[in-house]
Amino acid sequence: MISKEMYELGAHSSVIREIFEYAKKRAAVVGRENIFDFSLGNPNIPAPPVVDETIKKLIDTMPSCTLHGYTSAVGDDSVREAIAAFLNETHKTSFRKENFYMTAGAAASLTITLHALAEKDDEVILIAPFFPEYRVFSEGAGMKARVVLSDEKTLLPDCDAIEKAINEHTKAIIVNSPNNPSGVVLGEEEVKKLCAVLEKKQKEFGKPIFLISDEPYRELVYGSATVPYITKYYKNTIVCYSFSKCLSLPGDRIGYILVPDEVEGSREIFTAVCGAGRRLGYVCAPSMYQFVVRECLGKTADLSAYEKNRDLLVSTVERLGFSCAKPDGAFYLFMKSPEEDAGAFCERAKKYELLFVPSDSFGFPGYVRIAYCVSAEMIERSIPAFEKLAKEYF
Ligand code: PLP
């Protein structure tokens, strides 16, 4: 009567969403201020004022039927031109509007890209820990997900293991830096190392291996960390970008796919992207937000609060005896579970109303993800709970 596969996906919502729902129920019982919900990557910093100012300006100045009407399937020309110009100026690249397909966020960018690339028996490499939806998106596109664990000490990609995992079926690898859930950022050296492996394997198998760079956290980096623009290091790179996190508008659903001219078969891939967008019902990303981001390129929400949260959390958990890789970006802390079973640790944390996400669904057991896109006050209030939890272990 219905698709079993879709039923299963719907019935077992993501672990993250389950915890988020639990938090809402629990808050109704003990009060919102007594729940320390670190589950969801929902930015708590408001969108910068320029977003609302732009919306008001667009409403006042643009014909309603243009602002709220359909754009071309690929997105509005002026928007795509502006994005190309902005990236060219920022990264010294030479993109054209024809390289861009506007989407409803990174999730749509990824599903469309994977559908556009997938052929029978194709595989996609996922570097664990990874955003759990990658598995759903890859399998949905008919690709087998081959998981390669990151280096346990640094949480950076293990290039030797990636080299071993690539085979004649490998169509693509998804790279996500700054990373959800670890917060790890790939520096230039790591990018070069990974690209060298991909180049070598492309030669060996005589076919392209596409690097899908999932970049919703590109701007969220702290201290001296920088995020290299991967298209400059590896020509078969397709970028899946989103404005969700940098502009704090995840609910408005806006992003893009970039297929540079240098990509092997670029025009054919772009046409397949258009086809996948059509098949998946994604043609025409939200029009008003296409125009909004055109006016807000290079702007971000005030990200300094995330950096303060990171510093406070890292110093707190380290003081208490927990260990984690200091995140250079995104807004997640990946903390080692003091017991082997991270799920059991999360259950114990729940006793103190601390809500973390166990790392099993990120493909990397033994850790918890702590999303620190929350108020600094909540982190302050949660410290006694962290202290009580630590006493159970150290
Ligand atoms: N990729 C990663 C790594 C994410 O963390 C997220 C959302 O949290 C997405 C993609 C989806 O982003 P969007 O809201 O733009 O669809």
Side-chain angles (χ1 to χ4, degrees):
M1 193 179 76
I2 53 165
S3 156
K4 266 213 175 81
E5 198 187 339
M6 293 306 128
Y7 180 84
E8 286 303 317
L9 276 178
H12 302 107
S13 63
S14 84
V15 181
I16 302 169
R17 294 235 157 235
E18 265 172 34
I19 299 169
F20 179 64
E21 292 306 323
Y22 168 86
K24 277 202 286 194
K25 279 197 201 124
R26 191 77 191 129
V29 179
V30 297
R32 178 124 290 286
E33 69 287 0
N34 296 315
I35 285 284
F36 311 118
D37 179 10
F38 292 100
S39 64
L40 201 62
N42 208 1
N44 71 312
I45 295 174
V50 64
V51 167
D52 287 350
E53 286 158 20
T54 304
I55 293 171
K56 285 181 197 141
K57 190 184 86 191
L58 291 172
I59 290 171
D60 288 343
T61 57
M62 251 178 124
S64 177
C65 288
T66 311
L67 184 59
H68 301 294
Y70 290 123
T71 63
S72 313
V74 293
D76 179 80
D77 274 356
S78 71
V79 174
R80 298 188 304 143
E81 246 161 35
I83 294 173
F86 169 73
L87 291 178
N88 291 342
E89 193 178 327
T90 311
H91 302 293
K92 310 285 167 268
T93 46
S94 46
F95 303 131
R96 310 173 290 132
K97 71 173 188 304
E98 287 77 9
N99 301 121
F100 293 86
Y101 184 96
M102 299 304 297
T103 64
S109 302
L110 288 162
T111 44
I112 292 172
T113 302
L114 290 164
H115 272 82
L117 295 177
E119 292 179 288
K120 191 172 173 297
D121 297 330
D122 274 354
E123 292 186 4
V124 57
I125 293 200
L126 306 183
I127 306 171
F130 55 79
F131 178 50
E133 298 306 274
Y134 287 169
R135 199 185 271 286
V136 179
F137 299 161
S138 305
E139 290 170 358
M143 285 169 134
K144 183 178 164 197
R146 187 174 285 275
V147 175
V148 179
L149 297 182
S150 288
D151 180 88
E152 165 93 51
K153 275 206 197 85
T154 59
L155 295 177
L156 287 165
D158 178 342
C159 287
D160 293 338
I162 291 172
E163 185 169 346
K164 285 196 192 104
I166 294 176
N167 61 64
E168 72 272 26
H169 299 298
T170 307
K171 176 58 73 70
I173 178 168
I174 302 182
V175 175
N176 170 224
S177 166
N179 183 267
N180 173 10
S182 71
V184 163
V185 176
L186 297 193
E188 189 174 36
E189 198 186 316
E190 285 89 37
V191 168
K192 282 186 174 162
K193 216 169 139 195
L194 176 63
C195 295
V197 168
L198 299 180
E199 293 287 4
K200 181 174 164 199
K201 288 300 190 181
Q202 288 195 133
K203 272 206 194 96
E204 186 178 325
F205 290 110
K207 64 174 198 115
I209 298 169
F210 299 100
L211 188 163
I212 301 174
S213 184
D214 178 28
E215 306 196 349
Y217 301 98
R218 165 166 282 282
E219 293 77 11
L220 277 67
V221 282
Y222 313 118
S224 58
T226 52
V227 186
Y229 208 73
I230 303 189
T231 64
K232 293 166 72 174
Y233 297 83
Y234 186 68
K235 88 181 171 63
N236 283 330
T237 300
I238 298 173
V239 178
C240 291
Y241 184 82
S242 164
F243 295 90
S244 291
K245 315 284 174 169
C246 66
L247 286 175
S248 283
L249 29 80
D252 295 320
R253 317 303 301 134
I254 190 75
Y256 58 77
I257 300 166
L258 161 62
V259 186
D261 287 333
E262 296 75 28
V263 172
E264 206 170 317
S266 170
R267 279 299 90 196
E268 289 77 10
I269 291 175
F270 193 85
T271 306
V273 161
C274 297
R278 191 176 159 204
R279 161 69 55 90
L280 295 165
Y282 273 136
V283 291
C284 179
S287 299
M288 181 160 82
Y289 282 93
Q290 291 190 46
F291 299 118
V292 169
V293 299
R294 181 187 65 190
E295 306 303 315
C296 298
L297 294 166
K299 308 281 193 323
T300 64
D302 175 10
L303 306 174
S304 60
Y306 294 143
E307 187 163 5
K308 283 193 201 123
N309 285 356
R310 175 196 69 156
D311 293 344
L312 176 58
L313 257 181
V314 171
S315 60
T316 301
V317 300
E318 284 183 345
R319 170 174 65 78
L320 295 173
F322 295 105
S323 63
C324 62
K326 190 176 180 200
D328 284 326
F331 37 52
Y332 306 105
L333 185 70
F334 207 51
M335 188 172 89
K336 195 152 178 50
S337 166
E339 58 182 299
E340 205 178 322
D341 180 352
F345 173 58
C346 287
E347 282 309 310
R348 203 173 280 226
K350 265 187 184 169
K351 275 201 318 199
Y352 305 107
E353 312 296 357
L354 285 168
L355 304 182
F356 311 140
V357 181
S359 64
D360 302 65
S361 61
F362 302 109
F364 204 83
Y367 286 74
V368 294
R369 188 189 78 172
I370 304 178
Y372 57 81
C373 44
V374 296
S375 70
E377 297 77 62
M378 190 193 99
I379 299 179
E380 299 276 7
R381 268 189 284 113
S382 73
I383 292 176
F386 271 98
E387 285 167 349
K388 284 183 204 142
L389 180 63
K391 277 210 182 100
E392 296 214 19
Y393 292 97
F394 310 113

